[in-house]
């Protein structure tokens, strides 16, 4: 049960002063609260013997009042101290997690579900907060009250009475431990159920449009699945609470038993003259003081076990190593003049499937490379390697003859502009989206890049122009508008190597041609790599690779590929035909 304290030792060390202060306050409170029954007992005795005076009564009640006020002050002090600490712990762990999330590579996000990661960042951290705050309070409080009260019972009242009446207590410790283990087990189950449900919410909410499009049947099915999962969460939590609630009645029975024993032996000892009536009254009041710590131990077991489970989950996650890491002595300030790619084979981590094989090419300043191939042929996977989302294991990628994994990652991210297939915009204004990589850009600059990406005119049609909010709270952009804003965002970094992964799939052919013309001028000195399904957009590339199932099946210029009369030639004719048909359709309208 105390495992979690050991694990959190670093934090207690960090905040030892506040903890020492709080624990000191708590212990003083415990001692003060042990004085109260003695005062009352003394008063009862003087009443019983008829020796009580007004002065004595006023003095003693004044003392009671004073102690009460002092305890109030101390309680306030330790509470504010400890709760401050607990939120601090939560903040530290949250920052560590977030920092870790941003440092981790794609592999982690493939491995963990978003729902799991969210559960770590919310539930688990809350459980730790309880340990550092409520947990410590309960532990110190119950420990100091128990020690002080037991001490007073044994040494101030009577050791024999104490011996006979607290016999049932060891039973209690036994029960507490047993129930604690059960709670831990069920709590892990309930966390897992919560994770599953969280994941479902995440997926459904982000995919709700799609679900809607599939009609009522799918909605119904998704809903029923969700109900099953929430039922599971309820079921698992019920188990936790069932054990939790078994605890209190057990305590009641055990304390009830001690009261019975106390009345019996107490009366007997008074008759014997071993103790006075006042002693018995004080003793009963001590027993009352002991009940709270006993109940608290139950809550404590619960909090500690939860905290322990959560801490383990968070540290497991934090100990996940990124497989793609920056070199300890990274190479910086490269020119990005040439790119050599020699991939023998590539498989994704934890997978046997060979995704790419024998991909060799070389590009120099000003070159444009086109990459085409049917869906799933490995185009995006190749780009994943070029931007170092994953490392090549067999083979190498060189920029200016420096292996990619030796180049400073921040520089690489800056100098290699990658417009991915799933362009993601952030929930902020269009302006902020475009200058995301260079927040200090002026409005003129922002507009310049928007014009190159041919989206400036579109933006002007929105009522707030560049201030228009994107995303959930803002305007719904068309797929083509999103793509073009993503392009502007990447261009704004002035990358030396520009990679466009099917980045113009949602714009019409004419707009695409306009953007490509702009880009030719814009990227004159750099290297441009374009993957696309629309062959007309890479016709002018210096070289075109046709990927098939991860290897290069055809390569060369547009003219050469046509002369091969293979997949490319076939596809090109097909697309020309489609284009003509749709154009004639437009003419007839
Ligand atoms: P498209 O034209 O549809 O974009 P693509 O040519 O870009 O297709 P890739 O996305 O590179 O194709 O996919 C190639 C293969 O790699 C597919 O079989 C896919 O299932 C697999 N794959 C892609 N990403 C991952 C990943 N992160 N982990 C494991 N396998 C992956
Ligand atoms: Mg792709």
């Amino acid at each position: 049960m105390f495992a979690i304290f050991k694990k959190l030792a670093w934090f207690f060390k960090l905040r030892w002063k506040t903890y020492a202060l709080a624990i000191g306050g708590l212990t003083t409170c415990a001692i003060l609260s042990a004085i109260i029954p003695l005062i009352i007992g003394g008063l009862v005795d003087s009443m019983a013997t008829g020796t009580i005076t007004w002065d004595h009564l006023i003095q003693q009640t004044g003392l009671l009042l004073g102690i009460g006020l002092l305890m109030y002050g101390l309680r306030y002090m330790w509470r504010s101290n400890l709760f401050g600490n607990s939120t601090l712990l939560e903040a530290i762990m949250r920052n560590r997690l977030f920092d870790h999330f941003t440092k981790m590579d794609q592999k982690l996000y493939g491995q963990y579900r978003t729902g799991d990661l969210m559960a770590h960042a919310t539930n688990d951290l809350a459980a730790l907060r309880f340990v550092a705050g409520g947990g410590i309070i309960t532990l110190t409080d119950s420990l100091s009250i128990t020690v002080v009260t037991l001490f007073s019972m044994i040494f101030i009242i009577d050791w024999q009475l104490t011996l006979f009446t607290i016999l049932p207590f060891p039973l209690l410790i036994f029960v507490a431990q047993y129930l604690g283990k059960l709670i831990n087990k069920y709590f892990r189950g309930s966390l897992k159920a919560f994770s599953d449900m969280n994941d479902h919410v995440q997926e459904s909410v982000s995919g709700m449009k799609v679900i809607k499009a599939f009609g009522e049947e799918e909605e119904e099915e998704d809903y029923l699945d969700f109900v099953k999962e929430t039922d599971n969460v309820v079921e698992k939590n019920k188990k936790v609470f069932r054990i939790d609630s078994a605890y209190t009645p057990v305590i009641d029975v055990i304390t009830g038993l001690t009261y019975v024993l106390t009345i019996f032996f107490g009366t007997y000892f008074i008759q014997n003259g071993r103790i006075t009536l006042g002693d018995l009254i004080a003793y009963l009041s001590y027993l009352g003081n002991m009940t709270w710590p006993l109940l608290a131990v139950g809550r404590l077991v619960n909090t500690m076990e939860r905290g322990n489970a959560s801490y383990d989950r968070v540290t497991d996650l934090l100990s996940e190593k990124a497989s793609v890491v920056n070199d300890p002595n990274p190479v910086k300030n490269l020119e990005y003049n040439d790119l050599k790619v020699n991939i023998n084979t590539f498989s994704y981590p934890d997978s046997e499937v060979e995704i790419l094989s024998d991909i060799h090419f070389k590009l120099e300043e000003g070159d444009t490379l086109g990459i085409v191939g049917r869906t799933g042929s490995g185009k995006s996977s190749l780009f994943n390697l070029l931007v170092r989302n994953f490392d090549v294991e067999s083979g190498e990628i060189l920029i200016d003859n420096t292996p990619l994994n030796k180049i400073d990652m921040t520089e690489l991210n800056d100098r290699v502009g990658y417009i991915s297939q799933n362009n993601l915009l952030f929930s902020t204004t269009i302006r902020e989206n475009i200058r995301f990589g260079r927040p200090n850009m002026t409005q003129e600059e922002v507009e310049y890049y928007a014009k190159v990406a041919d989206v400036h005119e579109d933006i002007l049609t929105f009522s707030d122009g560049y201030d228009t909010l994107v995303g959930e709270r803002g305007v719904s952009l068309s797929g083509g508008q999103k793509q073009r804003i993503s392009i502007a965002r990447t261009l704004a970094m002035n990358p030396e190597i520009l990679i466009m992964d099917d980045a113009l799939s949602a714009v019409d052919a004419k707009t695409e041609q306009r953007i490509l013309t702009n880009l030719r001028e814009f990227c004159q000195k750099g290297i441009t790599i374009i993957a696309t399904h629309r062959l007309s957009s890479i016709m002018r590339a210096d070289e075109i690779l046709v990927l098939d199932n991860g290897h290069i099946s055809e390569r060369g210029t547009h003219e050469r590929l046509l002369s091969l009369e293979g997949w490319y030639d076939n596809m090109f004719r097909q697309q020309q035909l489609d284009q003509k048909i749709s154009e004639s359709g437009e003419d007839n309208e």
Side-chain angles (χ1 to χ4, degrees):
M1 163 172 132
F2 296 112
I4 182 63
F5 283 128
K6 230 185 258 168
K7 291 174 187 170
L8 283 178
W10 60 269
F11 182 73
F12 299 138
K13 257 183 221 151
L14 185 76
R15 304 286 297 170
W16 72 270
K17 271 189 202 150
T18 50
Y19 277 112
L21 211 65
I23 290 172
L26 275 170
T27 318
T28 318
C29 264
I31 294 173
L32 289 175
S33 69
I35 298 177
I36 295 174
L38 293 179
I39 296 175
I40 296 172
L43 282 175
V44 170
D45 274 344
S46 46
M47 274 187 267
T49 53
T51 55
I52 193 158
T53 63
W54 269 117
D55 278 354
H56 186 62
L57 183 64
I58 288 168
Q59 187 200 7
Q60 295 293 304
T61 41
L63 197 57
L64 284 177
L65 208 64
I67 290 177
L69 283 176
L70 192 56
M71 280 171 70
Y72 170 81
L74 287 170
R75 285 225 163 95
Y76 172 76
M77 184 195 78
W78 59 250
R79 276 190 169 261
S80 49
N81 252 326
L82 283 186
F83 286 119
N85 275 352
S86 62
T87 41
L88 180 72
L89 175 67
E90 193 183 12
I92 292 179
M93 295 305 284
R94 176 162 293 146
N95 289 345
R96 279 194 194 171
L97 256 188
F98 190 74
D99 187 46
H100 190 68
F101 284 163
T102 54
K103 287 212 182 85
M104 287 308 291
D105 51 53
Q106 304 269 335
K107 195 174 147 222
L108 177 99
Y109 295 101
Q111 233 166 29
Y112 285 85
R113 299 170 306 171
T114 317
D116 272 342
L117 296 177
M118 305 253 293
H120 283 302
T122 50
N123 272 13
D124 283 346
L125 295 187
L128 284 180
R129 189 183 66 219
F130 287 132
V131 172
I136 295 278
I137 291 181
T138 317
L139 180 73
T140 320
D141 223 10
S142 47
L143 215 64
S144 54
I145 289 190
T146 310
V147 170
V148 173
T149 312
L150 266 180
F151 180 89
S152 322
M153 284 172 156
I154 295 171
F155 295 103
I156 301 181
I157 309 289
D158 184 53
W159 67 269
Q160 280 192 6
L161 181 64
T162 314
L163 186 70
F164 289 126
T165 52
I166 62 167
L167 281 176
F169 278 26
L171 194 70
L172 193 89
I173 294 168
F174 186 74
V175 173
Q177 272 191 342
Y178 174 73
L179 292 182
K181 279 205 186 98
L182 274 187
I183 288 178
N184 188 21
K185 189 174 126 202
Y186 291 138
F187 184 62
R188 277 172 206 266
S190 88
L191 276 182
K192 164 129 197 347
F194 182 79
S195 249
D196 288 343
M197 184 188 74
N198 218 350
D199 214 48
H200 193 129
V201 174
Q202 177 88 19
E203 267 170 26
S204 296
V205 171
S206 47
M208 195 46 83
K209 277 190 199 142
V210 182
I211 295 175
K212 292 258 178 227
F214 277 92
E216 264 168 40
E217 213 171 283
E218 298 296 322
E219 273 173 49
E220 182 76 17
E221 205 169 291
D222 186 62
Y223 177 69
L224 289 178
D225 278 350
F226 186 68
V227 168
K228 248 186 250 156
E229 273 164 14
T230 38
D231 282 350
N232 190 25
V233 172
V234 172
E235 220 25 70
K236 293 279 157 64
N237 272 313
K238 263 193 200 160
K239 274 190 176 166
V240 175
F241 286 123
R242 224 173 280 147
I243 308 284
D244 229 13
S245 34
Y247 199 85
T248 321
V250 171
I251 303 278
D252 281 346
V253 171
I254 295 173
T255 48
L257 208 59
T258 57
Y259 274 106
V260 173
L261 289 171
T262 306
I263 299 295
F264 181 83
F265 286 104
T267 317
Y268 177 72
F269 285 146
I270 292 176
Q271 296 301 322
N272 263 356
R274 198 183 157 83
I275 59 170
T276 63
L277 177 63
D279 286 340
L280 183 61
I281 300 282
Y283 191 88
L284 282 171
S285 152
Y286 281 139
L287 274 186
N289 279 0
M290 289 281 278
T291 336
W292 183 85
L294 291 182
L295 278 172
V297 171
R299 240 183 304 159
L300 188 66
V301 172
N302 196 337
T303 312
M304 296 297 132
E305 296 297 348
R306 277 178 199 214
N308 199 25
S310 292
Y311 193 82
D312 286 348
R313 296 197 340 150
V314 173
T315 42
D316 276 356
L317 185 64
L318 285 175
S319 67
E320 288 279 349
K321 290 266 180 303
S323 50
V324 176
V325 287
N326 211 6
D327 191 90
N329 299 306
V331 180
K332 287 185 188 165
N333 302 319
L334 291 176
E335 301 272 325
Y336 296 81
N337 286 337
D338 70 74
L339 169 72
K340 292 196 195 87
V341 173
N342 290 305
I343 299 167
N344 301 327
T345 61
F346 170 71
S347 316
Y348 280 102
D350 309 320
S351 151
E352 300 286 298
V353 190
E354 199 173 283
I355 300 293
L356 294 172
S357 58
D358 294 320
I359 310 278
H360 305 278
F361 61 86
K362 185 171 179 299
L363 296 170
E364 282 171 4
E365 279 183 285
D367 284 352
T368 301
L369 177 76
I371 298 183
V372 295
R374 58 172 66 94
T375 166
S377 55
K379 302 181 291 293
S380 302
S381 302
L382 173 61
F383 293 157
N384 265 330
L385 297 180
L386 291 182
V387 298
R388 224 185 147 210
N389 279 341
F390 297 91
D391 277 329
V392 205
E393 278 178 1
S394 168
E396 59 180 359
I397 296 173
L398 304 167
I399 291 176
D400 296 352
N401 291 318
T402 312
L404 217 54
N405 55 8
K406 298 274 182 253
I407 302 173
D408 182 62
M409 275 169 83
T410 316
E411 182 180 297
L412 190 74
N413 285 338
D414 268 11
R415 307 322 310 142
V416 180
Y418 173 47
I419 305 161
S420 89
Q421 211 164 356
N422 338 307
N423 34 73
L424 173 88
L425 296 181
F426 300 99
S427 303
T428 171
T429 61
I430 291 178
R431 180 183 306 104
E432 293 311 320
N433 265 291
I434 294 179
R435 60 181 192 187
F436 182 73
R438 284 172 55 205
N440 298 326
M441 247 164 50
T442 63
Q443 176 64 20
E444 282 79 55
E445 285 178 285
V446 171
E447 284 182 20
Y448 167 73
Y449 295 109
K451 280 176 192 158
V452 178
D454 203 51
V455 68
H456 176 68
E457 303 291 330
D458 289 60
I459 296 171
L460 292 187
T461 64
F462 302 137
S463 53
D464 292 330
Y466 279 84
D467 289 314
T468 306
L469 283 173
V470 175
E472 259 131 59
R473 288 170 301 143
V475 64
S476 290
L477 297 172
S478 76
Q481 285 164 342
K482 278 189 215 159
Q483 284 189 332
R484 283 172 288 158
I485 293 175
S486 309
I487 293 174
R489 175 176 65 195
T490 305
L491 294 183
M493 300 288 291
N494 278 320
E496 311 283 340
I497 299 179
L498 178 70
I499 300 176
M500 298 179 45
D501 191 356
D502 218 4
L504 290 167
S505 57
V507 302
D508 60 64
K510 279 183 194 141
T511 314
E512 176 170 33
Q513 283 312 324
R514 272 206 304 278
I515 298 174
L516 287 170
T517 311
N518 293 347
L519 280 180
R520 263 195 294 281
E521 192 165 326
F522 186 86
C523 303
Q524 250 170 6
K525 289 210 212 86
I527 292 174
T528 314
I529 306 179
I530 302 175
T532 179
H533 285 279
R534 198 186 276 148
L535 302 190
S536 59
S537 55
I538 41 108
M539 277 165 60
R540 302 174 63 156
D542 299 291
E543 185 174 30
I544 299 164
L545 305 180
V546 178
L547 288 190
D548 180 22
N549 207 1
H551 70 272
I552 300 173
S553 60
E554 297 168 31
R555 72 189 297 169
T557 57
H558 174 69
E559 286 71 28
R560 184 179 130 75
L561 287 174
L562 288 184
S563 70
L564 288 179
E565 295 184 2
W567 181 90
Y568 185 91
D569 178 50
N570 202 349
M571 195 51 124
F572 187 71
R573 282 168 201 279
Q574 178 79 43
Q575 289 186 357
Q576 290 293 93
L577 207 63
D578 290 348
Q579 181 74 19
K580 279 207 188 92
I581 294 170
S582 75
E583 268 167 22
S584 68
E586 271 167 33
D587 290 345
N588 292 342
E589 265 170 26

